[in-house]
Amino acid sequence: MITALPLIISHFVRAKWRWRWLRGERLRGFQERRARQIVQYANRHAPFYHEHWRGHDLTSWRALPTVDKRLMMANFDTFNTRGLSGAQAMQIALEAEQRRDFTPTLKGFTIGLSSGTSGHRGLFVAGPAEQAAWAGTILARTLHKLTRRYRVAFFLRSNSNLYESAGGALIQFRYFDLMLPLDQAVAQLNQYRPQIVIGPPSLLEMLAGERERGSLHITPERLISVAEVLEPQVRERLTTIFGVPLHQVYQCTEGLIAISCAAGALHVQEDAVALDYEPLEGQRVTPIVTDLWRTTQPIIRYRLNDVLQLDAQPCACGSAWQVIRAIEGRSDDVCYFESAAGERRAFFPDTIRRMILLSSPAIQEYQAVQERPGQLRIALDLPTDTPFEPVADSVRRSVAATIAQYDCRPADVTIAPGVPTTAPGIKRRRVRRIDR
Ligand SMILES: [Zn+2]
C-alpha cells in the first residue's frame, strides 16, 4: 500500500512528538479535545450512539453510559458510522479466514475479526486513514531507535491488510500465518533472519523450543508478545532462551491500548485511547476504553473484558503515561470459591496461577479450569523423570492453603497429568472458567 506511505510517515513523526511532549495538563487537554470531537462525530453519524446517549450531556463524556462487545455486535449496523452491514462484514471476514486471503474489503473498508472463542468474536472495520494512523503510531512506539531498516517477522492468526500496510521504507514486514506448520515457519525464519519477532507467547514458546533443539538459528534483537496474556514464567523462559528483551503490544478489536517502552514497561497509549478504570478487588481494575481516533467504528466508553494491575510508580524511561504492571486475563476467567459465610469470593487468574506454580518448581506447564464455583480441575506437565503424585500433593496443599487464607471452604480439586495442547490459531488461556 505505497500510497499510504506518506500518511504513515506523517503519523509516525507526530506519534514520536506526542510521546515526548504530551504530559500533565497538555495531555489532559489533548484527550479532552479529541474525545469531545469523537463523541460529537459518533452522535451525528452512528445511530446506535445517538440513541444510547439520549438525555445525556455529551460534554461530560466520561459520564456517558458504557458499551461492551455484546452491545457492539448486536447493533453493528448502526454502531458504525458508514452504514456497513454486520452480516456482510462477518461473511467477508469468515471467507477471508477460510481462504487465508485477507485482501477483500467492504466498500473500501478493511474488515477484521478478533480471535475470541466462537460466539464471542468481535468485528472491526477501519478506513485507509485510520490504518495509516495505526501503522504510524505502532511503528513509532515499537521502534524505539531507528538506526537502520528492520526486518520484522509478524505471526498472526489471520492477516488482515491492516498489518501489511506497515511495510515500506522504514521497515520490512513479513507476515507468517499462525497456521503454518512449525518446521516450515522455522525454515522460513532461518532464511529471513528477522531482528524483531512478533507473535503470541504460545508461538514464541514453540520457537524457543526449536531454538533449544538447535533447529532455529535466528538472533533477533527483540521479541514482541501480542494477543495473549504473557505470564511471568513464560516471559522468563523466553528472555532466557533468546537472551533478548521481550516487549508487549496490548491491543484488541477495541483499539491500541498499551505498548512497552525502551525500558520495558507497558505504557497505556494515552494519545490513542483515554482509559477510565473500574476498581475490582485488590489493586485490580477493568478498563473502560475511549478510542481517540477511530471514526468508522467509534469505540467510546467501551468496557473491556480484561483484568489489569496498574503501577503507581513512574517509569525509569521518564514518561508519565500510565504503566500497566500486569494484564491478568479476562474477567470471564475469574474463578469463584465460597466463603465460610456462604458468599462467593473472586479468585483472579493471577492468584490461581501463583498458587499452582509456586507450589513446585517441577511444573513445566499447567491449565486450570473451573466448571462451577468451588471446583477446580488442574492439569500439569512435568519432566518425564519426575514422579507425578508428590507434585500433585504439593499443588493440592498449596490450593487448599490459599483458599483457606481467603476464608473459603475447601474446594473440590482434581489434578491430572497432561495439559491439553492448544490448537494452532486458538488463544491459549491457562486459567479458564466455563460455567456460563
Ligand atoms: Zn517507560
Side-chain angles (χ1 to χ4, degrees):
M1 214 190 269
I2 297 301
T3 49
L5 198 56
L7 203 51
I8 292 174
I9 292 171
S10 131
H11 278 286
F12 176 90
V13 172
R14 281 185 281 167
K16 284 273 185 205
W17 183 88
R18 290 194 302 265
W19 172 249
R20 236 182 120 92
W21 294 107
L22 285 184
R23 303 273 154 95
E25 278 308 309
R26 262 201 306 259
L27 176 62
R28 273 187 287 281
F30 176 86
Q31 287 189 337
E32 197 61 31
R33 273 195 310 281
R34 287 222 60 102
R36 284 185 186 210
Q37 280 171 16
I38 289 282
V39 165
Q40 288 297 342
Y41 186 87
N43 187 48
R44 278 199 302 275
H45 300 283
F48 167 82
Y49 277 113
H50 186 80
E51 245 345 275
H52 195 56
W53 294 337
R54 192 177 286 276
H56 290 271
D57 174 10
L58 297 188
T59 56
S60 6
W61 60 274
R62 284 191 198 263
L64 289 171
T66 57
V67 297
D68 56 22
K69 183 177 273 177
R70 191 189 57 77
L71 268 180
M72 177 178 83
M73 292 305 288
N75 299 279
F76 191 86
D77 298 11
T78 54
F79 194 98
N80 75 78
T81 58
R82 305 301 170 106
L84 301 171
S85 142
Q88 273 182 31
M90 184 60 89
Q91 194 187 347
I92 289 172
L94 290 176
E95 279 174 15
E97 288 218 18
Q98 273 160 17
R99 291 201 305 264
R100 315 304 298 169
D101 169 14
F102 298 93
T103 48
T105 56
L106 178 58
K107 296 180 183 169
F109 292 91
T110 293
I111 308 291
L113 197 56
S114 75
S115 47
T117 50
S118 58
H120 293 87
R121 291 179 153 183
L123 273 174
F124 68 86
V125 288
E130 288 165 304
Q131 292 182 49
W134 174 85
T137 306
I138 210 165
L139 288 178
R141 301 286 153 75
T142 48
L143 303 179
H144 305 125
K145 269 186 250 159
L146 250 195
T147 44
R148 60 190 157 73
R149 194 162 185 252
Y150 276 99
R151 280 188 306 278
V152 179
F154 204 153
F155 282 82
L156 281 170
R157 174 169 166 275
S158 59
N159 181 26
S160 94
N161 39 33
L162 199 59
Y163 297 98
E164 279 187 343
S165 68
L170 298 167
I171 195 164
Q172 188 184 345
F173 247 137
R174 188 178 296 179
Y175 154 69
F176 293 79
D177 195 323
L178 272 181
M179 307 301 281
L180 190 69
L182 190 59
D183 56 339
Q184 287 180 37
V186 167
Q188 289 180 23
L189 284 172
N190 282 337
Q191 198 201 7
Y192 181 51
R193 292 176 294 113
Q195 287 105 356
I196 298 177
V197 180
I198 306 177
S202 52
L203 175 276
L204 296 176
E205 276 192 279
M206 286 189 229
L207 295 182
E210 292 301 310
R211 177 153 162 148
E212 277 187 318
R213 270 188 285 281
S215 54
L216 182 68
H217 311 298
I218 58 170
T219 49
E221 294 170 12
R222 192 146 51 102
L223 306 172
I224 300 180
S225 151
V226 293
E228 288 170 4
V229 171
L230 175 64
E231 298 195 4
Q233 77 278 7
V234 175
R235 167 190 286 275
E236 203 176 305
R237 177 168 143 79
L238 290 171
T239 48
T240 306
I241 290 176
F242 282 99
V244 296
L246 174 62
H247 287 169
Q248 276 192 87
V249 172
Y250 172 30
Q251 136 156 336
C252 42
T253 323
E254 296 79 11
L256 180 59
I257 311 286
I259 300 181
S260 301
C261 69
L266 187 59
H267 287 270
V268 172
Q269 299 298 290
E270 309 257 21
D271 61 337
V273 285
L275 298 190
D276 290 297
Y277 303 101
E278 269 184 2
L280 301 169
E281 268 179 54
Q283 298 295 307
R284 300 172 171 93
V285 296
T286 206
I288 296 184
V289 180
T290 297
D291 190 295
L292 300 172
W293 296 89
R294 287 171 68 183
T295 53
T296 308
Q297 182 182 14
I299 298 293
I300 299 165
R301 301 273 302 150
Y302 186 111
R303 181 185 279 103
L304 210 60
N305 178 22
D306 281 348
V307 179
L308 308 181
Q309 289 181 31
L310 301 180
D311 204 330
Q313 302 301 318
C315 180
C317 77
S319 170
W321 292 11
Q322 178 68 52
V323 172
I324 296 174
R325 190 188 315 134
I327 305 164
E328 277 197 29
R330 303 158 28 134
S331 40
D332 281 353
D333 289 328
V334 171
C335 296
Y336 292 93
F337 295 92
E338 203 172 90
S339 76
E343 290 159 350
R344 287 203 327 170
R345 295 213 58 170
F347 281 63
F348 289 89
D350 186 51
T351 311
I352 306 280
R353 179 185 70 80
R354 290 173 63 86
M355 69 190 191
I356 295 171
L357 284 184
L358 296 182
S359 65
S360 165
I363 299 170
Q364 290 178 320
E365 188 54 89
Y366 78 96
Q367 188 190 56
V369 179
Q370 183 170 68
E371 283 142 349
R372 55 189 163 75
Q375 170 270 353
L376 204 59
R377 179 159 51 84
I378 299 170
L380 302 173
D381 281 348
L382 307 180
T384 42
D385 55 350
T386 306
F388 187 77
E389 267 318 307
V391 176
D393 268 348
S394 146
V395 171
R396 212 170 277 122
R397 279 197 302 275
S398 169
V399 171
T402 310
I403 285 173
Q405 188 192 334
Y406 289 98
D407 195 27
C408 284
R409 291 175 185 171
D412 167 15
V413 180
T414 49
I415 303 175
V419 175
T421 50
T422 311
I426 303 295
K427 274 193 190 193
R428 170 176 286 175
R429 283 154 64 203
R430 288 181 172 84
V431 178
R432 292 174 63 196
R433 183 164 60 90
I434 52 174
D435 67 335
R436 32 189 192 278

